[in-house]
Amino acid sequence: MARAFAKPFYNSAAWQKTSRAYMESRHWLCERCGSVASICHHRQWLDPANIADPSVALSWENLECLCQDCHNKEHMSKDSVYMMDDGQIVGMKESAELKAFREAQAAIDAL
């Protein structure tokens, strides 16, 4: 789910055109695992300071075609806290952003 500051950008014609063209250029295949892709991901995540910079937000060099699983792994690895016990993962606390992302994806999948 897009953060509030990013919603206008992700709804813009420029992003819709760029992301679709990029995904088509990669034949809708995940660049990490080769399965069917559904998300045009920014390698350098967008934030309020760089979202208006086309060299970051719209540059193909900053994009990656990902499947849902690989995109989840990308965000999970950066937004979650893992609880360890004797070197073993015993649980995970998701960030609020990751939780909102999962909920948004579930809503999209339900369409």
Side-chain angles (χ1 to χ4, degrees):
M1 176 176 201
R3 293 172 283 177
F5 78 87
K7 286 181 182 179
F9 168 77
Y10 284 115
N11 289 326
S12 72
W15 171 246
Q16 295 297 319
K17 182 178 178 180
T18 298
S19 63
R20 181 167 191 86
Y22 184 82
M23 298 287 280
E24 288 176 355
S25 78
R26 300 299 187 263
H27 307 287
W28 296 85
L29 295 174
C30 180
E31 294 182 65
R32 295 190 187 179
C33 73
S35 65
V36 176
S38 59
I39 297 170
C40 191
H41 171 72
H42 286 93
R43 295 174 194 268
Q44 176 185 348
W45 293 8
L46 299 182
D47 59 38
N50 67 18
I51 197 165
D53 182 350
S55 70
V56 175
L58 298 173
S59 171
W60 280 27
E61 287 77 29
N62 191 36
L63 300 180
E64 190 174 16
C65 192
L66 297 179
C67 68
Q68 187 66 58
D69 286 342
C70 288
H71 193 249
N72 288 349
K73 289 175 189 172
E74 172 71 19
H75 284 272
M76 190 177 303
S77 66
K78 294 181 181 177
D79 288 340
S80 302
V81 175
Y82 295 91
M83 292 161 273
M84 307 291 286
D85 183 19
D86 197 27
Q88 300 294 318
I89 297 174
V90 294
M92 180 183 75
K93 181 178 180 185
E94 294 180 342
S95 69
E97 183 176 312
L98 180 57
K99 185 176 180 182
F101 170 79
R102 287 183 184 277
E103 290 170 355
Q105 288 302 311
I108 291 169
D109 291 343
L111 295 178

